[in-house]
Amino acid sequence: MANDGMPQEKAVLDALRTVKDPDLHKDIVALNFVKDLKIKDGRVSFTLELTTPACPVKKDMEQWAREAVLKVSGVREVQIQMTSSVSRSTLAAEKQSVAGIKNILAVGSGKGGVGKTTVAVNLSIALAQKGAAVGLMDADIYGPNVPLMMGIAGRPHAIHDRIQTLSNYGVSVMSMGFLTGEDTPLIWRGPMLHNVIQQFIRQVDWGELDYLLIDLPPGTGDVQLSLTQTVPLMGAVVVSTPQDVALQDARKAILMFRQVRVDILGIVENMSYFQCPKCNERTHIFSHGGGATTAANYGVPFLGEVPLDVSLREGGDEGKPIVAADPKAPAAQAFAQIAEKVAAQVSIANLNSSTMIIE
Ligand SMILES: Nc1ncnc2c1ncn2[C@@H]1O[C@H](COP(=O)(O)OP(=O)(O)OP(=O)(O)O)[C@@H](O)[C@H]1O
Ligand SMILES: [Mg+2]
């Protein structure tokens, strides 16, 4: 007897195989997203475990899965539990991974002042808002801006030789600014800088993190090169503004990361346009489209545009990042979408590297 009109596991799984993850380009059964499948009296229940809580198509995937299973004959009801488990970078494992941290990402740019710290801060908070465990390390030892922008003041303490992070907006943070004060100039040479970064990674108690973002200092010199080699980075987000000079420096940053074999997760174009708060008209103050063109030329993803917004700057200065302070503002929504794209790129890179190892 094949069955008594009741749906069978194979039929349900075959139906679920028609649902593809649009970023990972594989079906959700092959990706091992389907867990705890139970079928009883025409009632089907299962868990869909995605690779990030920041999945841009979480709702769609749930709906596609439900529709697919409802088509199986005999199915009367479908219950889906949505969950996620962030994939761990296998690339990081090769380069001395850090226990507890699944993915370490750098936010860099060739040029100074294009908004790296602003992007790193808002992306971290956006990822945390979506339910990910997130840390933010300020690698700008000479000019740490993260404490101010994250609205954190104070000194970290140590427990059993492990330096404890300070946190705000759901993000665990470490910065030289906590240790020296933000206005103390530091004149350190290469080896010492290397040691500080090592300590920030290995002696800080980051706990369990899905994503650790690293805010890099500006430039593509020795300091940045040494940083990218000291830390087991799985990828980098490159920030640029639309002007040619900034894009030229962004290209340098892409080449620097490539030189040390760090994946480029994509380019963010900051200060892309000004949206008039009165009439909503967009003005492209520094020309337009350069970030997307540069991304296309270098074969890297374009992650999105962030508008010029006075409240973004004010929020930064006051330690109230726009993503937390005014999540509905266009700039905040842009960051939220960019965060989803970054998370998707991390999942794609991890899937590709793990299948490369298996195959
Ligand atoms: N989209 C934006 N709209 C308005 N102001 C912005 C925007 N992005 C960044 N800013 C402001 O521009 C200034 C520089 O930004 P930020 O410090 O993030 O740049 P950075 O690339 O980290 O600089 P540095 O190279 O010095 O580390 C800050 O005052 C910030 O608030
Ligand atoms: Mg900065």
Side-chain angles (χ1 to χ4, degrees):
M1 282 289 288
N3 69 55
D4 47 7
M6 287 292 133
Q8 301 296 299
E9 184 168 313
K10 184 179 177 304
V12 171
L13 285 175
D14 282 346
L16 287 171
R17 268 184 245 279
T18 62
V19 180
K20 290 211 163 44
D21 183 307
D23 290 316
L24 303 177
H25 303 297
K26 287 192 175 177
D27 76 74
I28 57 177
V29 177
L31 287 165
N32 206 16
F33 285 0
V34 181
K35 315 261 169 174
D36 298 330
L37 175 61
K38 293 195 185 79
I39 306 169
K40 198 170 176 234
D41 301 334
R43 282 198 197 92
V44 179
S45 71
F46 55 91
T47 298
L48 270 190
E49 188 183 82
L50 308 182
T51 52
T52 174
C55 175
V57 287
K58 190 153 80 180
K59 286 231 158 63
D60 296 325
M61 299 259 272
E62 181 178 351
Q63 194 190 333
W64 298 332
R66 183 181 309 281
E67 285 168 1
V69 175
L70 277 171
K71 282 190 197 141
V72 176
S73 87
V75 172
R76 288 191 290 126
E77 197 185 314
V78 181
Q79 274 180 0
I80 307 176
Q81 176 92 26
M82 296 301 286
T83 177
S84 65
S85 170
V86 172
S87 53
R88 190 185 179 89
S89 161
T90 46
L91 291 172
E94 286 170 24
K95 296 191 257 173
Q96 291 187 307
S97 68
V98 184
I101 306 181
K102 288 183 174 172
N103 297 287
I104 307 183
L105 286 59
V107 178
S109 72
K111 201 168 166 53
V114 295
K116 281 176 301 302
T117 309
T118 304
V119 169
V121 159
N122 283 286
L123 283 190
S124 308
I125 299 173
L127 287 168
Q129 284 173 340
K130 291 173 195 298
V134 186
L136 174 58
M137 183 183 126
D138 186 352
D140 199 340
I141 303 291
Y142 302 103
N145 295 136
V146 170
L148 178 76
M149 285 202 198
M150 284 296 287
I152 305 179
R155 290 186 87 78
H157 63 285
I159 300 177
H160 302 303
D161 282 351
R162 305 269 290 161
I163 309 164
Q164 304 299 302
T165 55
L166 299 176
S167 70
N168 203 4
Y169 307 112
V171 177
S172 305
V173 182
M174 184 48 62
S175 168
M176 204 61 200
F178 298 154
L179 305 169
T180 59
E182 281 154 37
D183 297 328
T184 317
L186 283 178
I187 311 158
W188 283 353
R189 310 257 169 230
M192 227 171 131
L193 181 92
H194 184 89
N195 285 345
V196 172
I197 296 302
Q198 277 289 359
Q199 286 196 347
F200 271 13
I201 284 289
R202 309 217 173 252
Q203 252 165 280
V204 168
D205 187 3
W206 289 105
E208 301 281 321
L209 293 183
D210 294 322
Y211 308 103
L212 174 63
L213 274 70
I214 303 197
D215 179 26
L216 290 182
T220 48
D222 285 349
V223 172
Q224 290 74 20
L225 209 57
S226 144
L227 271 171
T228 51
Q229 287 169 318
T230 311
V231 179
L233 292 176
M234 67 80 56
V237 172
V238 173
V239 182
S240 185
T241 52
Q243 302 98 311
D244 285 342
V245 274
L247 286 164
Q248 206 169 11
D249 287 345
R251 287 179 209 121
K252 278 193 209 153
I254 292 175
L255 296 176
M256 173 188 78
F257 286 121
R258 286 202 168 149
Q259 194 183 334
V260 288
R261 293 163 166 252
V262 172
D263 244 16
I264 308 291
L265 299 169
I267 297 183
V268 173
E269 188 175 278
N270 187 28
M271 311 190 200
S272 249
Y273 56 90
F274 174 73
Q275 190 160 355
C276 172
K278 295 211 175 85
C279 66
N280 275 341
E281 194 196 351
R282 287 187 180 193
T283 311
H284 293 280
I285 295 173
F286 307 120
S287 83
H288 181 233
T293 310
T294 306
N297 288 346
Y298 282 81
V300 300
F302 183 62
L303 298 169
E305 304 177 340
V306 180
L308 256 174
D309 185 334
V310 178
S311 57
L312 213 167
R313 197 213 22 91
E314 287 168 350
D317 289 350
E318 291 166 10
K320 292 180 184 145
I322 198 154
V323 164
D326 187 5
K328 292 222 161 66
Q333 303 222 330
F335 280 125
Q337 281 175 16
I338 292 168
E340 291 180 339
K341 288 212 174 135
V342 169
Q345 289 305 320
V346 171
S347 299
I348 293 168
N350 289 344
L351 180 75
N352 290 343
S353 62
S354 67
T355 43
M356 253 156 44
I357 287 168
I358 294 164
E359 280 160 11

